[in-house]
Amino acid sequence: AETASESAAPGGGSISAYMGALAAALGTMVANLSSHKRGWDDRWKEFSDWAEQGQGIMGRLLALVDEDTAAFNRIMNALGMPKSTPEEQRSRALEEATLYATQVPLKTMKEALGAFPLLRAMACEGNPNSVSDAGVGALAARSAVLGAYLNVKINAASLKDRDAAREICTIAQSIADQAVREEREILEIVNTKIG
């Protein structure tokens, strides 16, 4: 409801982080279901360890939902500085806020990418009755990465420090490419298992 309102935040960056959290949650769910699958008692620790990793990723991405909104608000605060503020001070505040608003979705990309090993393991080794959930997790993780990438690019475009902008965008492009590969490979595993 908040996203649907006329407020500009939370927006795409926060939603990307939330999609990443949902991706990690799905992987964690499969791990938890697998740890309690009848006949798999000797694998309880393996799946519990995966579930614990998933909880960590999920928690960090949920924190990034709010951090992305805070980053947007910092830009708005810089833009809203009183007209009496010296131009150099206003310009520096806006550049710092924009850099932060570029770095936050980059963190989201990295965290969401971190969900793929969990999702791949659950697609390969998890409860076969939940393999589709691992696939949906992979779809959500890729969307989280690519959505955050859009936010990296739009904010980086406003940076005056073009070297910093290029460096961040190069890193982000590499993460985006990796996420697309990961999703494709996991979906191949999932679809093979489904038949």
Side-chain angles (χ1 to χ4, degrees):
E2 183 63 27
T3 302
S5 75
E6 292 181 18
S7 171
S14 292
I15 298 308
S16 295
Y18 193 62
M19 284 191 292
L22 290 171
L26 280 167
T28 302
M29 179 191 82
V30 178
N32 282 322
L33 289 169
S34 301
S35 72
H36 294 103
K37 182 172 169 46
R38 183 175 296 162
W40 287 19
D41 296 340
D42 59 330
R43 300 183 72 189
W44 178 87
K45 179 159 181 10
E46 169 193 352
F47 289 114
S48 292
D49 288 347
W50 278 116
E52 190 174 318
Q53 287 181 39
Q55 287 283 354
I57 296 165
M58 186 178 72
R60 290 187 296 275
L61 282 160
L62 284 174
L64 283 162
V65 171
D66 292 331
E67 191 173 353
D68 194 88
T69 298
F72 174 80
N73 290 335
R74 276 179 64 173
I75 291 176
M76 298 311 293
N77 290 340
L79 290 171
M81 290 174 85
K83 298 291 182 201
S84 59
T85 307
E87 183 55 37
E88 183 180 317
Q89 186 179 341
R90 287 171 53 96
S91 179
R92 186 172 56 248
L94 184 58
E95 180 76 357
E96 288 172 2
T98 303
L99 178 60
Y100 179 59
T102 306
Q103 291 167 334
V104 171
L106 183 63
K107 285 184 355 187
T108 296
M109 292 180 75
K110 291 174 180 176
E111 286 294 343
L113 187 70
F116 282 110
L118 164 66
L119 294 162
R120 180 185 293 273
M122 293 309 99
C124 291
E125 304 293 331
N127 187 331
N129 295 325
S130 301
V131 71
S132 61
D133 298 304
V136 173
L139 291 165
R142 191 232 37 197
S143 294
V145 170
L146 297 185
Y149 184 33
L150 293 176
N151 281 267
V152 167
K153 290 194 294 187
I154 198 167
N155 290 318
S158 298
L159 284 171
K160 290 181 182 172
D161 183 344
R162 298 315 303 155
D163 289 337
R166 275 189 294 276
E167 182 181 347
I168 290 169
C169 287
T170 298
I171 294 166
Q173 177 70 61
S174 175
I175 295 169
D177 292 344
Q178 188 175 348
V180 170
R181 284 192 305 272
E182 292 281 351
E183 178 210 39
R184 183 177 60 245
E185 291 171 10
I186 291 170
L187 289 178
E188 285 173 7
I189 294 164
V190 169
N191 283 311
T192 298
K193 288 202 167 194
I194 291 173

